[in-house]
Structures are given as structure tokens and as C-alpha cells.
Amino acid sequence: MRGLDESTEVFLRTGQKAQEQVRHAWGGFINFAARDNVLEVALANAFTKVVTSFVSDLVLPIVSLLPFLNRNMDEKFAVLSKGPNYDQQYGYNTLYQAREDGALVLAYGLFIETVLNFLGVSLTLYAVGHLYMLIFHDKVIKPTVRCPYCKQYIGKSALRCRHCSSWQDGREDEPRSDESSREELPNAEASSVREVI
């Protein structure tokens, strides 16, 4: 049974090497996917489709049931300028019909739907970011503040502004404390005036 033991050992070593290679490849993929904003970019399109479907197919039909709305939000529009085939009695039934007739329309329903889609995508990405931080303990969403000097957004824990290089602890607002630098300034100005004269 000696041959059986050797083949089992070879089989186990091969399995361990394969397992290490799979772990290494998986770790490399996770490092690639979680780096910079690759994960966000890759998933943004999928999130957009899901949230758009949620808003268009679930939320807006329920909103359309309100008594003062008698049709879907995407079909809410106002005719600003009538087309040549405008029916005086019934008007246009759909936004598509109005646009095909060449009418100038204000499609406020589509705008409301787009705003709701944007809010849904934004809130979903924010929730996924928080979930990621909760699971992996990695700061993805970093709080920001405005630099008091250049008014650009910087990280809350930043010591210096990356835009204007000013210190954020207020040391640039304090007057100079050493007397020698104050005395040197007037003397330097006086000597430069003498040189000009």
C-alpha cells in the first residue's frame, strides 16, 4: 500500500497548491475591485437600472393613484404651443403623441421621475458605502469640511489644505510671537528706503 500513500500525498499537495493559487487570485481581484472607485464605477450602472426600475415600476404607479393625479407621472405634461393636429376637445393623450405632432411641451412628470431616480441611486450608493464600512471597517465615505481660506472641500482630519497649503489648526491666523522678526521688518524697510535715496 505504499503507492497509495504516495499518491494521496501528491494529491493533497496538489490540492493545497491549487487552493493557495485560488486564494491568491481572489485576493488580487478584491484588491483590484475595491481600489479607488473601480467598485463604484462597475456597480453604478447596475444600481441605476435597479433603482430606476424601483422608482418607475413600483413607486410612481402608487403615487399616480393619488386623487389629483389621474395618470402616470411620466405622462404628466403641459402643452405650451399646440401642434397642427391638436384636438381642441381632448388635447393630447400622451407625451409621445404631443411630441410627434410637433407641440412644445413642458414634461414636468419626466423631470419629477428623473429627480426621484437620482435620489434613489444616491441614497442606495450611500447605503452600500455604509454597509461596506460596517463589514470591512474601511473608511470609504470620508467626512469633509471647507477650508476657511480657499473654501474648497478637504478631509475633516487634514492638517493642511491640499488646494492652498494653509494649515487648518489656525496657526496662520495668529500674530507672530517672536519680537526679533517684528524688529527686523521695520529695519529692513528703512534700509531699503536708504538704498533708493
Side-chain angles (χ1 to χ4, degrees):
M1 292 289 165
R2 181 189 228 183
L4 185 61
D5 290 336
E6 289 176 7
S7 63
T8 304
E9 189 176 319
V10 169
F11 181 70
L12 288 175
R13 268 189 277 139
T14 305
Q16 287 174 349
K17 285 183 182 179
Q19 187 178 15
E20 288 174 14
Q21 288 177 347
V22 168
R23 281 187 186 160
H24 181 69
W26 180 252
F29 172 73
I30 294 298
N31 285 336
F32 169 74
R35 177 174 49 138
D36 295 326
N37 289 329
V38 174
L39 182 66
E40 188 176 314
V41 170
L43 295 177
N45 192 25
F47 279 129
T48 303
K49 287 180 181 178
V50 169
V51 173
T52 300
S53 175
F54 175 74
V55 170
S56 298
D57 301 333
L58 295 177
V59 174
L60 291 179
I62 293 171
V63 170
S64 298
L65 292 175
L66 295 174
F68 54 89
L69 299 173
N70 58 359
R71 61 175 80 162
N72 288 337
M73 285 302 293
D74 58 348
E75 289 298 327
K76 298 297 273 181
F77 63 95
V79 178
L80 301 177
S81 175
K82 302 170 185 168
N85 299 325
Y86 182 74
D87 186 0
Q88 293 295 335
Q89 184 178 4
Y90 297 110
Y92 295 114
N93 291 328
T94 63
L95 180 61
Y96 177 78
Q97 182 184 20
R99 286 186 173 163
E100 283 295 312
D101 192 31
L104 180 62
V105 293
L106 179 69
Y108 61 89
L110 282 176
F111 176 74
I112 292 171
E113 184 175 345
T114 304
V115 168
L116 289 175
N117 284 338
F118 170 74
L119 291 175
V121 169
S122 302
L123 290 173
T124 304
L125 286 175
Y126 184 73
V128 168
H130 269 289
L131 182 65
Y132 180 83
M133 288 187 336
L134 182 68
I135 293 172
F136 295 107
H137 304 291
D138 185 19
K139 283 275 191 185
V140 176
I141 302 171
K142 298 176 182 161
T144 59
V145 294
R146 282 187 178 258
C147 172
Y149 303 102
C150 67
K151 306 298 184 206
Q152 296 292 324
Y153 284 103
I154 58 172
K156 190 174 184 178
S157 61
L159 298 175
R160 295 187 84 164
C161 177
R162 66 180 178 179
H163 303 285
C164 67
S165 299
S166 61
W167 288 94
Q168 298 302 303
D169 59 1
R171 69 176 80 173
E172 294 179 356
D173 293 336
E174 297 174 1
R176 289 184 155 186
S177 61
D178 60 36
E179 296 295 319
S180 62
S181 63
R182 289 184 188 164
E183 292 173 5
E184 290 174 6
L185 187 61
N187 291 338
E189 289 176 2
S191 64
S192 65
V193 169
R194 284 185 215 139
E195 291 175 5
V196 172
I197 297 176

